[in-house]
Amino acid sequence: MSRFRALWQSSLKATRKALSWKLEDLTPPTETEIFSFRSKDDLRRWKLYADSEYGGLSSASLEIKATGVFSGHLSSEMSQDSRWVMNRSGFCGMRSTQSEGYLDLEPYDTLALRVRGDGRCYISTIHTENWVNVPGGAEDNTWQAYVFVPKGDWYIAKIPLVRYLPTWRGNVMDSHLEMNPSRIVGMSLSINAEGGPQGAVTGPGEFRLEVDWIKALRTT
């Protein structure tokens, strides 16, 4: 009888606790930090890539100097002995390494990045589980948005998730497709020598982007 009474009391206590929950306890926070760039351990969650993997001459590095610094050199030239054929060179990027499971941003509507740049335009990419039909069909789906970073002071770029367009190898696909924000497998930041809004720095040369954090925001 004592065991039954203990079980009953425990169940009753749990029920009372559940009934006492407030609505705000069930609501996700207005923001959540996805990535920070303050230690070498933070940087281990990212890997670099560049056109040099395909015979290009661009290069990039990622290091800690109080915050993360993504920098390097963009070149539109190709190595003379390259066996690859590219439509264009002059790009570098950093992509988060995939961990177990998915990043679920369903409760949020905006991605925010605290950055300090060089007047160039960068590309923010969200990689989701492959469910959109693309040629080959084996790659993650990619959704991209431009991030123009003014030169000088720290700046918080806020990008609504609806602004991310589905792309395949740099080309925009059917813009009516919708992202599934609950099945995110990774994120990227990249830069091309060409492209960007009027007034942005373009062309071959040095680039430098400082990154403090990346957060998801719930603005509505």
Side-chain angles (χ1 to χ4, degrees):
M1 182 65 70
S2 61
R3 290 182 179 178
F4 175 79
R5 185 179 296 111
L7 179 61
W8 169 256
Q9 290 176 344
S10 177
S11 177
L12 184 61
K13 183 178 180 181
T15 301
R16 287 174 176 170
K17 182 178 180 181
L19 291 175
S20 68
W21 283 348
K22 298 178 181 178
L23 180 60
E24 53 265 31
D25 294 330
L26 303 176
T27 303
T30 56
E31 66 177 50
T32 183
E33 188 171 84
I34 306 170
F35 297 105
S36 61
F37 297 83
R38 304 182 187 101
S39 70
K40 291 184 178 180
D41 285 339
D42 291 334
L43 297 194
R44 293 190 182 100
R45 301 178 65 187
W46 296 82
K47 60 181 179 180
L48 294 167
Y49 62 89
D51 60 26
S52 56
E53 299 175 22
Y54 308 100
L57 299 177
S58 301
S59 61
S61 66
L62 180 60
E63 56 190 335
I64 287 290
K65 292 185 177 179
T67 57
V69 178
F70 172 51
S71 62
H73 180 81
L74 296 171
S75 173
S76 58
E77 303 296 322
M78 291 285 295
S79 174
Q80 293 183 353
D81 57 355
S82 172
R83 61 186 179 87
W84 298 91
V85 177
M86 290 194 299
N87 292 329
R88 62 181 182 274
S89 58
F91 63 85
C92 296
M94 49 184 275
R95 174 169 175 167
S96 65
T97 55
Q98 186 172 354
S99 58
E100 295 183 4
Y102 300 95
L103 175 62
D104 183 2
L105 296 186
E106 183 69 41
Y108 302 96
D109 56 72
T110 300
L111 201 67
L113 305 88
R114 185 171 188 264
V115 290
R116 180 161 60 182
D118 50 8
R120 286 186 178 269
C121 189
Y122 292 80
I123 301 172
S124 171
T125 303
I126 296 175
H127 304 270
T128 60
E129 181 184 46
N130 187 334
W131 64 276
V132 176
N133 290 326
V134 296
E139 302 175 10
D140 297 330
N141 296 144
T142 58
W143 309 79
Q144 297 185 319
Y146 280 118
V147 184
F148 172 60
V149 184
K151 185 176 181 179
D153 296 333
W154 283 99
Y155 168 74
I156 297 180
K158 296 180 180 180
I159 314 167
L161 295 184
V162 294
R163 271 186 47 199
Y164 283 82
L165 298 178
T167 64
W168 183 71
R169 298 185 179 179
N171 298 310
V172 177
M173 299 175 62
D174 183 352
S175 60
H176 296 292
L177 294 172
E178 293 185 4
M179 179 197 304
N180 182 355
S182 66
R183 310 287 281 188
I184 294 174
V185 298
M187 294 185 180
S188 298
L189 277 173
S190 59
I191 182 171
N192 291 332
E194 306 300 333
Q198 185 176 3
V201 177
T202 60
E206 305 301 313
F207 70 89
R208 178 186 172 92
L209 179 70
E210 295 178 65
V211 191
D212 188 9
W213 47 251
I214 299 175
K215 294 181 179 180
L217 308 181
R218 182 167 54 84
T219 64
T220 57

